[in-house]
Amino acid sequence: MVNKYVLAYAHFPFPIALTLTHMAFCSVLALVIIKLGLVDTVHMDSGTYFKNVVPIAALFSGTLWLGNAAYLYLSVAFIQMLKATMPVTVFLVGVMLGTEKYSALYALNMVVVAVGVAAASYGELNFDLIGVIFQSGSIVTESFRLCLIQLLLQARGIKLNPVTTLYYIAPACFLFLCLPFSFIEAPKMMHSENWSVPVGWLSLSAVAAFALNMSVFLLIGRSSALTMNIAGVIKDWLLIFLSVLLYKSPVGQLQLMGYGVAFLGVCWYNYQKLQSARPPVPTTKSLPDLEKAPLLRSGSSANTGNNSSNRDN
């Protein structure tokens, strides 16, 4: 919500510069937290960093840049509806990279989500193709990033919490974003006077970006995946409601119906993933015969005792 205000209403239409402030702020704060010893860090050599972390940082910078750029063209409500396609792209990219196994049931679920988002897009009153392209690019890069985290970090036993993730990834993201900023936004900023620097709003946006990562860190450590999914569902609807309330974003009936279908598809997909992630409950037949063993031992002892008393008699 703050990013939308900064880019569309605060005379600062520079999504790359906005993302650069986020990465600079997160880099400095993460460095301070690590150096103060408030959070344990993971030490890695330069070879591991460039091979496993830098590609993820490149994709993350693309995700942030394209996602923020979409706010110049689309409403927060519609962007949130488009984000419902995230499970679809993650599933497709995962199947392609081998982190997901193809399932006809999952594929059918993805079709339902895609149809719902298509209906929501058709019902969007202020549809903008450029904004949709930006947001779609953000979703694709984020999907590749999530899959590469599994391949390059988790599969190699490298575990990073959000603070250490920012410590390693945010500086690299900053450097990656400097390149498009130099060619795309810096010339516009130098040759135009129709913009201003909303210091207060930029600071609030940077603090919110860091607080988001910290809240995720605290929530994961004290809750379950189910809680995370429920919190995500509440966040989706809350963003749509706030977008309509604060920014007067028009939302049509067809759009809500389409998003409702996609929303149900995402909920069903999350439920299936949670069920598949649970360890199988052992049945009675598969349990070891623990109750019979003591009885046999006690029976054997009783027989031994009887035999001893018979021998004594």
Side-chain angles (χ1 to χ4, degrees):
M1 298 296 293
V2 175
N3 289 351
K4 174 66 176 179
Y5 184 85
V6 169
L7 294 170
Y9 300 99
H11 306 290
F12 191 78
F14 304 110
I16 305 177
L18 174 63
T19 311
L20 280 172
T21 62
H22 292 174
M23 293 298 99
F25 184 80
C26 290
S27 298
V28 173
L29 267 188
L31 177 63
V32 171
I33 292 175
I34 293 295
K35 294 304 180 183
L36 290 178
L38 301 178
V39 175
D40 294 331
T41 185
V42 176
H43 299 283
M44 63 176 71
D45 56 67
S46 58
T48 302
Y49 180 77
F50 283 104
K51 182 179 180 181
N52 297 341
V53 176
V54 169
I56 295 173
L59 290 169
F60 191 42
S61 61
T63 297
L64 297 175
W65 165 26
L66 297 174
N68 284 330
Y71 288 115
L72 292 170
Y73 305 93
L74 304 175
S75 68
V76 176
F78 185 46
I79 287 175
Q80 202 59 35
M81 294 178 186
L82 291 176
K83 285 183 179 180
T85 58
M86 180 65 73
V88 179
T89 53
V90 171
F91 175 71
L92 294 176
V93 172
V95 171
M96 183 173 65
L97 296 181
T99 59
E100 291 279 354
K101 292 184 178 180
Y102 177 80
S103 167
L105 185 60
Y106 284 170
L108 179 62
N109 198 307
M110 299 300 100
V111 171
V112 172
V113 174
V115 169
V117 172
S121 301
Y122 184 78
E124 169 64 17
L125 301 177
N126 293 326
F127 184 88
D128 190 290
L129 181 60
I130 296 177
V132 172
I133 291 174
F134 275 129
Q135 186 56 47
S136 300
S138 176
I139 292 171
V140 170
T141 53
E142 177 67 2
S143 300
F144 274 98
R145 184 184 77 91
L146 293 174
C147 292
L148 282 185
I149 286 176
Q150 289 182 269
L151 291 173
L152 299 180
L153 296 182
Q154 295 176 359
R156 288 167 171 76
I158 303 174
K159 296 181 180 180
L160 301 176
N161 61 48
V163 176
T164 52
T165 298
L166 289 176
Y167 177 72
Y168 284 113
I169 290 182
C173 286
F174 183 88
L175 294 177
F176 277 118
L177 289 167
C178 284
L179 184 61
F181 173 76
S182 302
F183 291 98
I184 299 175
E185 291 186 355
K188 294 180 181 179
M189 298 175 79
M190 289 188 295
H191 295 92
S192 176
E193 297 180 355
N194 297 326
W195 63 278
S196 59
V197 181
V199 178
W201 287 107
L202 285 176
S203 301
L204 178 60
S205 180
V207 170
F210 185 82
L212 169 64
N213 287 278
M214 288 302 298
S215 64
V216 170
F217 172 47
L218 296 173
L219 184 60
I220 289 176
R222 292 167 171 78
S223 64
S224 63
L226 179 60
T227 305
M228 290 289 292
N229 281 279
I230 293 174
V233 168
I234 297 173
K235 181 209 68 174
D236 294 341
W237 286 104
L238 186 61
L239 273 174
I240 293 174
F241 173 75
L242 289 175
S243 176
V244 174
L245 180 66
L246 299 180
Y247 295 132
K248 310 301 179 184
S249 303
V251 177
Q253 185 176 2
L254 177 61
Q255 197 174 10
L256 284 176
M257 291 176 59
Y259 180 67
V261 172
F263 170 76
L264 292 176
V266 171
C267 289
W268 179 244
Y269 175 76
N270 287 333
Y271 174 77
Q272 290 175 311
K273 296 294 287 185
L274 287 172
Q275 290 295 108
S276 63
R278 289 180 178 177
V281 179
T283 60
T284 306
K285 293 181 179 180
S286 63
L287 288 171
D289 207 356
L290 298 177
E291 295 183 353
K292 293 182 180 179
L295 293 175
L296 290 174
R297 286 196 295 271
S298 61
S300 300
S301 300
N303 291 335
T304 304
N306 292 335
N307 293 336
S308 299
S309 78
N310 289 335
R311 284 194 299 269
D312 293 339
N313 291 332

